[in-house]
Amino acid sequence: MSAPPDLPPSPAPLTERQIVELLATARQRLFAEVGKVIVGQLHVIDEMLIALLSGGHCLITGAPGLAKTLLIKTVADVCHLSFQRIQFTPDLMPSDITGTEILEDTPEGGRQLVFTQGPVFANMILADEINRTPPKTQAALLEAMQEHQVTVNGKTMHLPEPFFVLATQNPIEQEGTYPLPEAQLDRFMLNIVIDYLSEDDEVSVVTRTTAGKGEPVQRLFTGDELLAFQQVVRKVPIAEDVARYAVRLSAASRPGREGVPDFVNQWISWGAGTRASQNLVLGAKTRCLLHNRTHVTADDIRAMALPVFRHRILVNYKAEAEGVTVEQVIAKLLETVKV
């Protein structure tokens, strides 16, 4: 009997220095690959990459037809991740997401319950129009986001790692929707807004999509590499004064507290919590590595403020009556709170 052929040696795991070097070029490489399919939207791709490397989930807000689904699918392909899209509707049940047990015949002539995995068992989940489904089904997905596991009939099953949820909301039509409560919105690391393209970019989209088939994207990372990236991101040092700046930004958004700016008490009904401070720091750590730096600056904190605070600061009726948006409130916070 002949000996089995020798298997090729497994590649050596990347060192932390190699990972840092990879992250320094990851941003431009991702722009180049995703740009084969998606035109423009660089800030959206940038913030999505920060969330992926930080291990966080994203809420993506934008009007229909802005290529939200195509963008997410393309990023999943570039990162070599399994991908599932769930279209949220008013009649969607929790078991439609997590999976269910079905009765199957056995070879011995009997029957047994067999668990059939739902679409949540993938590395990247697109929760399309998450506010279209009732809270019970929303909670099933949000539990998976927090715990990275699902429980069906008393059995707990772990989800594949890495695990990311990118949920979309349509800001135009609000009839028949179930807006996410503030406590559930807080589970999302970033709220990314996709806006309409410029005229030149839209011309490029129209020309490209009405021509032949586009160039295929190259796979840049694997799921295991993303997990290694996430571990290195958390080891990035941050000075105490920069961390305090992140905490003071969050604290300044909370009305009714001593020392907060007057406009906070005037316009904000609910401010950012501790998870906002954590995500400011984590996103800033990732951003500094993507910009080929190994230390976090106050500019990194400021750059993360808008996507981190956008869904965590709730403006009141007075702000709405005066036409003040949450983005304007965040900009005023950044002007008021000094390093």
Side-chain angles (χ1 to χ4, degrees):
M1 185 175 179
S2 60
D6 292 334
L7 295 175
S10 300
L14 296 175
T15 65
E16 290 186 4
R17 179 180 293 276
Q18 289 173 322
I19 290 174
V20 170
E21 291 172 354
L22 273 176
L23 288 174
T25 61
R27 187 166 173 261
Q28 294 304 321
R29 292 165 64 203
L30 189 74
F31 284 170
E33 290 304 317
V34 176
K36 296 176 182 178
V37 180
I38 302 295
V39 176
Q41 307 291 10
L42 293 184
H43 81 282
V44 176
I45 301 171
D46 204 12
E47 291 173 1
M48 192 180 297
L49 178 60
I50 288 174
L52 292 179
L53 297 177
S54 304
H57 308 289
C58 291
L59 185 65
I60 302 177
T61 305
L66 296 182
K68 297 188 292 292
T69 302
L70 181 61
L71 171 60
I72 295 168
K73 177 66 169 64
T74 304
V75 171
D77 288 342
V78 170
C79 296
H80 200 183
L81 301 174
S82 58
F83 171 81
Q84 288 283 0
R85 176 179 180 269
I86 307 172
Q87 182 65 50
F88 280 73
T89 57
D91 60 348
L92 196 71
M93 299 296 292
S95 59
D96 295 328
I97 296 173
T98 60
T100 187
E101 288 185 330
I102 60 174
L103 201 59
E104 286 189 355
D105 294 330
T106 64
E108 293 79 18
R111 291 186 175 184
Q112 64 178 2
L113 286 172
V114 177
F115 178 72
T116 301
Q117 293 183 349
V120 77
F121 285 86
N123 295 125
M124 184 176 287
I125 307 297
L126 168 58
D128 215 354
E129 294 193 284
I130 190 173
N131 57 334
R132 290 284 176 195
T133 202
K136 185 176 182 180
T137 305
Q138 292 175 358
L141 178 65
L142 292 166
E143 179 185 2
M145 290 168 51
Q146 186 71 14
E147 308 296 336
H148 287 210
Q149 65 183 32
V150 297
T151 303
V152 179
N153 291 338
K155 298 177 182 178
T156 299
M157 285 151 285
H158 294 279
L159 298 172
E161 296 289 351
F163 178 70
F164 305 105
V165 172
L166 296 102
T168 67
Q169 288 192 130
N170 179 349
I172 299 174
E173 299 172 348
Q174 297 302 321
E175 291 186 9
T177 62
Y178 304 85
L180 289 170
E182 292 302 309
Q184 294 181 348
L185 282 173
D186 198 38
R187 303 289 181 90
F188 291 94
M189 179 183 180
L190 304 180
N191 183 359
I192 303 172
V193 172
I194 297 183
D195 206 349
Y196 290 104
L197 295 171
S198 66
E199 181 177 332
D200 289 341
D201 285 344
E202 191 163 347
V203 169
S204 297
V205 170
V206 172
T207 304
R208 182 183 298 184
T209 55
T210 55
K213 190 174 181 180
E215 184 181 355
V217 297
Q218 300 289 326
R219 291 175 172 174
L220 299 179
F221 317 114
T222 65
D224 289 339
E225 287 174 337
L226 281 176
L227 291 174
F229 293 164
Q230 292 171 14
Q231 293 176 0
V232 170
V233 162
R234 291 179 177 272
K235 295 180 180 179
V236 174
I238 181 170
E240 183 179 342
D241 60 333
V242 178
R244 285 187 180 276
Y245 177 56
V247 171
R248 286 191 289 109
L249 271 177
S250 297
S253 71
R254 302 163 191 164
R257 294 168 61 93
E258 184 179 354
V260 300
D262 291 338
F263 72 89
V264 171
N265 291 321
Q266 183 179 2
W267 288 335
I268 298 177
S269 61
W270 192 261
T274 303
R275 194 175 276 131
S277 304
Q278 293 171 325
N279 287 324
L280 276 177
V281 169
L282 190 56
K285 287 184 174 186
T286 306
R287 185 179 185 272
C288 79
L289 288 181
L290 291 174
H291 286 77
N292 200 16
R293 288 182 282 106
T294 54
H295 64 282
V296 181
T297 67
D299 287 339
D300 294 318
I301 300 291
R302 282 191 285 266
M304 297 307 304
L306 191 57
V308 168
F309 284 157
R310 185 182 277 131
H311 57 302
R312 291 184 167 93
I313 294 177
L314 188 65
V315 296
N316 58 24
Y317 70 93
K318 188 170 185 181
E320 293 176 353
E322 295 177 13
V324 176
T325 65
V326 67
E327 286 83 2
Q328 291 171 327
V329 171
I330 295 169
K332 201 166 180 64
L333 274 175
L334 291 174
E335 292 174 4
T336 306
V337 181
K338 305 301 181 182
V339 182

